[in-house]
């Protein structure tokens, strides 16, 4: 089976996991909103907001996994990988909007405390805790690609939110101290806010064509230079097509230009195995002379090649 085919099956499995998790999370988010309104609990509504944003994240991940299986075209030569990044940008802006709403509502509740149904809050939050544990278990059984890991991180945040809501209901039930509800809702909003900012930073790094955070350029250059037959790798550019797909272009100075056919597979193996880069465009050079003076090839990391004078 080719590497391309294997990747397609991987995305298909991720899509199924994310859809199942999406159904669980979305269904309970609705229950939690209803319970929060019934009990007049901002902590429950805040946790429901967190679950809704996670549902969006799961939905975007599932859609991106499905969309990434579509073939590249003449106008989208890298395919639809960036759809994941654009969707993540929309998602994170929505998450930040929810944080602002929760913060304003919490301060309003602190200034004007309102009665909260502690028993209802505890029951709904406890069921939410069980749902989040079930979703986390589903995701941990699957392949740990970027989409699934990100979804799992959000679910762990949901677990913390459910515990906070459960604690709020318990304290209100025992003591009647109403400020605990908006205070814990502020804590939940901080969880959402930090997660949102981290995602936004990663999204902007991809959109600005920044080098991936998990690729050390100095280490990459040194490792390429240690390949037998390579004098130096320079003019290196590394960028992300999506959260899990990286691309590279570089010029490779060789001891002998005639060794290129042997050197190229070694470089491709290094880039794929050690740095997770499957899309590469490598231009060979002979000594200090440009390949413009030599007969060579411009070959991409997927095996496509174009022979002739470059």
């Amino acid at each position: 089976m080719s590497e391309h085919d294997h990747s397609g099956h991987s995305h298909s499995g991720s899509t199924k996991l994310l859809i199942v998790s999406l159904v669980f999370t979305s269904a309970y988010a609705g229950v939690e909103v209803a319970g929060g309104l019934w009990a007049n609990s901002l902590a429950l509504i805040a946790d429901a907001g967190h679950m809704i944003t996670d549902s969006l994240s799961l939905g975007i991940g599932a859609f991106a996994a499905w969309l990434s299986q579509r073939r590249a075209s003449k106008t989208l030569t890298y395919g639809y990988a960036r759809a994941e990044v654009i969707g993540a940008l929309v998602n994170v802006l929505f998450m930040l909007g929810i944080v602002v709403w929760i913060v304003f509502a919490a301060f309003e509740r602190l200034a004007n405390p309102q009665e909260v149904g502690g028993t209802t809050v505890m029951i709904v939050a406890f069921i939410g805790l069980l749902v989040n544990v079930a979703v986390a278990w589903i995701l941990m059984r699957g392949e740990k690609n970027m989409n699934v890991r990100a979804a799992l991180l959000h679910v762990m945040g949901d677990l913390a939110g459910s515990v906070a809501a459960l604690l709020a209901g318990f304290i209100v039930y025992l003591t009647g101290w109403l400020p605990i509800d908006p205070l814990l809702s502020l804590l939940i909003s901080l969880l959402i806010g930090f997660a949102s900012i981290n995602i936004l930073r990663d999204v902007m790094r991809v959109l600005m064509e920044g080098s991936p955070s998990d690729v050390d350029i100095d280490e990459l250059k040194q490792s390429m230079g240690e390949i037998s037959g390579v004098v130096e790798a320079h003019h290196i550019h590394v960028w992300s097509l999506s959260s899990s797909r990286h691309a590279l272009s570089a010029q490779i100075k060789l001891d002998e230009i005639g060794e290129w056919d042997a050197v190229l597979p070694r470089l491709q193996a290094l880039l794929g195995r050690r740095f997770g880069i499957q899309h590469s465009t490598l231009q060979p050079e002979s000594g200090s002379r440009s390949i413009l003076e030599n007969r060579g090839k411009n070959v991409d990391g997927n095996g496509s090649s174009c022979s002739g004078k470059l």
Side-chain angles (χ1 to χ4, degrees):
M1 179 181 293
S2 69
E3 179 181 352
H4 175 75
D5 292 335
H6 177 74
S7 176
H9 286 293
S10 169
H11 284 300
S12 178
S14 298
T15 304
K16 292 176 182 177
L17 280 175
L18 290 165
I19 288 175
V20 171
S21 302
L22 171 63
V23 171
F24 272 91
T25 305
S26 299
Y28 194 73
V31 173
E32 205 163 29
V33 168
L37 293 174
W38 178 269
N40 199 28
S41 170
L42 186 60
L44 267 186
I45 296 174
D47 190 43
H50 198 178
M51 293 190 76
I52 289 170
T53 58
D54 288 347
S55 295
L56 286 175
S57 297
L58 290 165
I60 289 169
F63 180 71
W66 171 80
L67 196 59
S68 65
Q69 298 177 63
R70 296 190 62 180
R71 293 180 180 275
S73 65
K74 291 181 180 179
T75 55
L76 294 171
T77 56
Y78 276 121
Y80 291 80
R82 283 287 170 88
E84 173 193 349
V85 180
I86 296 171
L89 179 60
V90 173
N91 188 18
V92 75
L93 293 176
F94 181 75
M95 291 170 74
L96 289 172
I98 286 181
V99 167
V100 172
W101 176 81
I102 292 173
V103 169
F104 274 105
F107 280 113
E108 176 66 24
R109 285 287 184 95
L110 287 171
N112 302 289
Q114 299 182 24
E115 288 296 327
V116 174
T119 303
T120 303
V121 172
M122 285 191 292
I123 293 173
V124 176
F126 180 71
I127 297 173
L129 183 64
L130 296 179
V131 170
N132 284 318
V133 169
V135 172
W137 179 75
I138 291 170
L139 292 175
M140 285 189 290
R141 292 182 62 200
E143 182 190 2
K144 301 302 185 295
N145 61 36
M146 184 65 70
N147 269 331
V148 173
R149 291 202 307 270
L152 185 58
L153 179 63
H154 281 286
V155 171
M156 292 304 176
D158 275 340
L159 281 170
S162 294
V163 170
L166 184 61
L167 182 60
F170 184 70
I171 292 175
V172 169
Y173 178 77
L174 287 182
T175 68
W177 190 53
L178 299 178
I180 189 62
D181 184 70
L183 287 173
L184 287 177
S185 70
L186 284 173
L187 175 62
I188 297 171
S189 69
L190 285 176
L191 291 174
I192 303 174
F194 281 123
S196 300
I197 291 171
N198 286 334
I199 295 171
L200 182 60
R201 180 188 59 199
D202 293 340
V203 166
M204 296 308 298
R205 188 176 192 134
V206 173
L207 293 179
M208 293 297 292
E209 304 285 355
S211 59
S213 59
D214 57 345
V215 176
D216 186 315
I217 299 298
D218 292 332
E219 180 186 358
L220 174 66
K221 181 176 181 179
Q222 180 180 347
S223 299
M224 294 175 73
E226 292 172 353
I227 294 292
S228 177
V230 174
V231 175
E232 180 190 16
H234 61 109
H235 286 98
I236 298 173
H237 300 278
V238 187
W239 66 99
S240 297
L241 304 175
S242 69
S243 60
S244 57
R245 294 173 58 192
H246 306 322
L248 170 144
S249 67
Q251 294 180 352
I252 309 298
K253 190 174 293 186
L254 304 170
D255 287 322
E256 297 290 340
I257 194 66
E259 297 179 354
W260 179 238
D261 287 341
V263 170
L264 177 61
R266 299 175 198 151
L267 288 168
Q268 291 174 329
L270 170 73
L271 293 173
R273 181 185 66 253
R274 186 166 175 180
F275 298 98
I277 299 173
Q278 302 298 335
H279 299 268
S280 57
T281 301
L282 305 172
Q283 179 176 313
E285 296 179 352
S286 178
S288 60
R289 296 178 298 166
S290 170
I291 190 59
L292 292 172
E293 303 174 14
N294 294 280
R295 187 82 172 175
K297 298 179 180 179
N298 187 15
V299 187
D300 73 15
N302 295 317
S304 302
S305 65
C306 179
S307 301
K309 284 186 179 293
L310 302 177

